[in-house]
Amino acid sequence: MTGPHHHKEKDEKAKKDPKKEMKHHKHLQHLGQATTIAAGVYALHEKHKAKKDPEHAHKHRIKEEIAATVAVGAAGFAYHEHHKKKETKNNVKQHKTKG
């Protein structure tokens, strides 16, 4: 596929407007937080299933570990986006004080 990547165009437009960029990072932060919660809940679910189903406990423990890893990764992503949002907010404030 040789067509333009629409998501890249959208990101470039957001970077031109700091308020849109802040909104973009806030949206991604919330998405990361929701993913963290969902993966954490799934990990707990698999932990419970490992106790209730000893015959397949190993399978459930593996799924639990994968879900826990996803939760940690999503939390890191949410943290990263939080700081990108703060950075953009500080840039907006500095730009306003210069002008």
Side-chain angles (χ1 to χ4, degrees):
M1 190 170 185
T2 59
H5 296 273
H6 296 289
H7 64 276
K8 286 185 180 179
E9 290 173 11
K10 205 175 203 180
D11 290 345
E12 288 172 10
K13 287 179 185 177
K15 290 186 190 288
K16 290 179 185 175
D17 184 4
K19 288 186 180 184
K20 284 185 180 181
E21 187 178 356
M22 281 177 30
K23 189 175 181 180
H24 176 72
H25 289 300
K26 184 177 183 179
H27 173 75
L28 291 177
Q29 177 187 354
H30 287 166
L31 185 64
Q33 290 170 336
T35 304
T36 301
I37 292 167
V41 167
Y42 186 73
L44 289 174
H45 169 74
E46 285 299 328
K47 184 175 186 173
H48 176 73
K49 285 199 116 176
K51 288 180 183 177
K52 294 291 181 187
D53 185 12
E55 188 177 326
H56 300 104
H58 181 69
K59 176 181 77 168
H60 292 299
R61 280 193 219 102
I62 290 171
K63 287 181 179 182
E64 176 192 350
E65 286 295 320
I66 292 170
T69 303
V70 169
V72 170
F77 177 73
Y79 185 74
H80 166 76
E81 288 300 327
H82 173 72
H83 283 280
K84 292 295 268 185
K85 181 181 73 174
K86 281 178 63 176
E87 184 180 293
T88 303
K89 189 175 185 179
N90 288 338
N91 289 342
V92 169
K93 284 182 181 179
Q94 288 176 355
H95 183 68
K96 284 183 179 180
T97 57
K98 287 181 181 178

